[in-house]
Amino acid sequence: MDADALREEALRWEKRYNGRSGRTARQFIDYLEARLGDASQSWETASKYDEGA
């Protein structure tokens, strides 16, 4: 994820979820980890199917 996109997403998150705080920041990071983890798992799963075909 590029830095500008990350910043914009963080600012949207801040507005949606109670402003800036350590707790909000932690929740944003947890959200990103889950989102990016899901994306990488989807890619890994797809590449496993490609290898078996």
Side-chain angles (χ1 to χ4, degrees):
M1 176 178 266
D2 92 9
D4 290 333
L6 179 61
R7 181 173 170 24
E8 288 197 22
E9 180 118 15
L11 292 172
R12 279 194 299 271
W13 184 273
E14 171 194 0
K15 287 178 184 176
R16 215 175 296 144
Y17 297 101
N18 302 321
R20 291 184 188 185
S21 73
R23 181 177 181 179
T24 302
R26 179 76 250 171
Q27 291 169 341
F28 177 66
I29 295 301
D30 291 344
Y31 158 78
L32 280 179
E33 286 178 337
R35 192 176 111 193
L36 296 173
D38 288 345
S40 81
Q41 285 177 355
S42 296
W43 181 82
E44 288 171 3
T45 302
S47 65
K48 286 179 186 175
Y49 286 120
D50 290 343
E51 291 172 3

